[in-house]
């Protein structure tokens, strides 16, 4: 089997690449041409991945890649995926995260119509939720340009499935984290800053809304679910989540506690970090995935955050060998 992963250098892409390689796949990763190469997340398997240049904003490059690779499976994980950035860069977000999906589907429709396609959809599509927990049939009410772009990508995936008979499906993933999460995302922002505070390299952590609640799971579990979707006889959309919600305040408590610190001594609220429109509560009902795919999350919230803190402590300590630790 031959798989093409867009966003292969990201958190999900790196875990998926490793997962597929373990199963004997030929793995191709789409990367943008850049003066700054960032391949740190795929260092463990970069020698076994074939990197191909392309861009979700450029149709001709995607056409060329699909023609050259002739993939059996295409996982579209690339996006402008940082919600706060979508407010300052809404046009770019719409172009990459929304229209980029159409471009990949068009390339598949024209050049590799038998390929199976997976779109990485997001719980941010639910936004201002109409019911809780959310499932595959819950109404979308996005609260950011990112969420709105993901809704477009989701619906156009359904459209290509129904209009052209392409095996195209969407994985609606709730928040999923790991030590490979970008530093701009709240979980990694917290765990990395906790490590810096513990090592005496920082004093404070600036935060926004501590009451927002999310369903946080482990990225490695979610990519396994994506693969299972493409092994089904027919294309269907599935939702992946843990079914548990935790507030940002709980995230702080667990992360600081993992380093032996009291979070209330170090956290400061910065009004500038409050979103223009907040998503207050997200919780995923993955019953369909559990029943039809046999999918289950393997790592819980506390274990996940403690794992991330331990990894960041290792990173920070290795960069500053003589760092002095802080007591609670």
């Amino acid at each position: 089997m031959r798989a093409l992963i867009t966003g292969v250098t990201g958190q999900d892409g790196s875990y998926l690449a490793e997962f597929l390689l373990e199963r004997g796949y030929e793995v191709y990763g789409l990367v943008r041409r850049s003066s700054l190469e960032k391949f740190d997340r795929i260092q463990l398997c970069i020698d076994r991945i074939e990197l191909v240049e392309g861009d979700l904003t450029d149709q001709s490059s995607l056409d060329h890649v699909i023609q050259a690779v002739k993939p059996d499976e295409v996982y579209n994980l690339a996006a402008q995926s940082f919600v706060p950035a979508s407010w300052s860069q809404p046009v770019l977000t719409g172009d990459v995260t929304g229209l980029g999906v159409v471009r990949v589907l068009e390339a598949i429709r024209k050049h590799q119509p038998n390929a199976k396609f997976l779109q990485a959809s997001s719980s941010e599509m639910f936004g201002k939720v109409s019911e809780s927990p959310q499932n595959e049939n819950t109404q979308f009410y996005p609260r950011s340009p990112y969420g709105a772009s993901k809704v477009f990508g989701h619906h156009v995936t359904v459209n290509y499935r129904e209009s052209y008979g392409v095996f195209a499906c969407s994985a609606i993933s709730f928040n999923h984290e790991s030590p490979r999460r970008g530093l701009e995302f709240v979980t990694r922002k917290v765990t990395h800053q906790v490590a810096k505070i513990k090592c005496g390299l920082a004093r404070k952590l600036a935060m926004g809304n501590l009451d927002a609640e999310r369903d946080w799971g482990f990225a490695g579990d979610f990519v396994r679910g994506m693969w299972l979707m493409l092994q089904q006889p027919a294309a269907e959309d599935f939702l992946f989540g843990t079914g548990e919600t935790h507030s940002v305040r709980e995230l702080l408590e667990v992360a600081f506690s993992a380093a032996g610190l009291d979070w209330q001594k170090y956290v400061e609220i910065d009004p500038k970090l409050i979103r223009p429109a907040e998503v207050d509560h997200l919780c995923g009902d993955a019953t369909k995935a559990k029943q039809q795919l046999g999918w289950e999350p393997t790592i819980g919230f506390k274990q996940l955050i403690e794992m991330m803190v331990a990894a960041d402590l290792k990173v920070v300590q290795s960069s500053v060998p003589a760092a002095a630790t802080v007591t609670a």
Side-chain angles (χ1 to χ4, degrees):
M1 294 292 287
R2 182 176 297 177
L4 172 67
I5 303 172
T6 74
V8 71
T9 59
Q11 170 189 253
D12 294 2
S14 66
Y15 280 110
L16 179 60
E18 293 170 4
F19 181 90
L20 295 177
L21 286 168
E22 290 174 359
R23 280 153 184 78
Y25 276 67
E26 291 180 38
V27 177
Y28 290 76
L30 186 76
V31 294
R32 288 176 296 165
R33 184 170 182 81
S34 172
S35 58
L36 179 63
E37 295 184 342
K38 291 193 66 177
F39 299 148
D40 53 304
R41 293 187 182 94
I42 56 173
Q43 281 304 314
L44 294 176
C45 61
I46 193 169
D47 293 338
R48 294 182 289 157
I49 299 174
E50 186 75 29
L51 299 179
V52 290
E53 288 188 356
D55 195 309
L56 260 63
T57 64
D58 179 39
Q59 184 69 59
S60 62
S61 71
L62 297 174
D63 287 341
H64 173 74
V65 167
I66 294 296
Q67 284 178 293
V69 174
K70 295 181 173 58
D72 299 297
E73 298 175 356
V74 178
Y75 297 85
N76 184 40
L77 309 186
Q80 190 304 99
S81 58
F82 187 44
V83 175
S86 75
W87 291 103
S88 58
Q89 302 179 69
V91 176
L92 173 67
T93 301
D95 195 11
V96 176
T97 308
L99 289 176
V101 184
V102 184
R103 297 187 184 105
V104 177
L105 283 165
E106 269 295 281
I108 292 171
R109 182 183 69 83
K110 292 184 293 184
H111 307 296
Q112 190 73 356
N114 292 325
K116 294 183 176 182
F117 172 82
L118 181 133
Q119 163 63 7
S121 288
S122 168
S123 60
E124 287 288 328
M125 300 189 302
F126 296 121
K128 189 175 181 179
V129 298
S130 58
E131 62 180 356
S132 191
Q134 296 86 54
N135 59 43
E136 290 83 357
N137 298 314
T138 300
Q139 179 182 354
F140 297 140
Y141 194 146
R143 298 274 280 171
S144 67
Y146 169 76
S149 299
K150 279 293 188 181
V151 169
F152 175 83
H154 177 86
H155 280 310
V156 82
T157 298
V158 174
N159 186 255
Y160 268 67
R161 178 171 73 221
E162 296 178 348
S163 301
Y164 298 116
V166 176
F167 190 111
C169 52
S170 284
I172 307 172
S173 297
F174 279 65
N175 293 64
H176 45 289
E177 320 297 319
S178 76
R180 301 180 191 178
R181 191 60 143 150
L183 289 170
E184 69 273 22
F185 292 89
V186 66
T187 49
R188 185 76 195 291
K189 169 187 172 180
V190 168
T191 62
H192 191 258
Q193 192 70 358
V194 165
K196 291 177 68 176
I197 291 171
K198 182 66 176 179
C199 293
L201 302 179
R203 292 185 174 184
K204 296 294 180 180
L205 170 60
M207 296 293 294
N209 179 14
L210 303 189
D211 295 320
E213 295 179 329
R214 294 291 184 273
D215 182 336
W216 278 300
F218 173 53
D221 287 336
F222 284 58
V223 300
R224 173 167 44 85
M226 295 175 188
W227 174 76
L228 286 169
M229 288 175 61
L230 295 196
Q231 312 317 305
Q232 303 307 299
E236 292 185 56
D237 303 327
F238 287 87
L239 180 152
F240 299 103
T242 70
E244 297 181 3
T245 57
H246 300 273
S247 67
V248 176
R249 183 175 283 101
E250 289 178 81
L251 165 64
L252 293 170
E253 292 171 353
V254 173
F256 276 90
S257 178
L261 302 175
D262 179 358
W263 72 274
Q264 296 183 79
K265 294 181 179 179
Y266 304 99
V267 174
E268 294 181 345
I269 302 302
D270 184 348
K272 295 193 295 293
L273 298 178
I274 304 294
R275 294 181 185 179
E278 182 60 87
V279 175
D280 298 313
H281 178 87
L282 291 174
C283 181
D285 176 4
T287 298
K288 181 182 177 182
K290 293 176 180 179
Q291 292 180 345
Q292 293 186 218
L293 303 179
W295 179 85
E296 289 282 352
T298 63
I299 295 180
F301 173 73
K302 187 172 184 290
Q303 181 184 358
L304 171 64
I305 301 306
E306 290 175 345
M307 174 176 67
M308 292 174 66
V309 170
D312 275 323
L313 278 169
K314 187 175 181 180
V315 169
V316 173
Q317 288 168 346
S318 66
S319 63
V320 187
T325 59
V326 175
T327 61

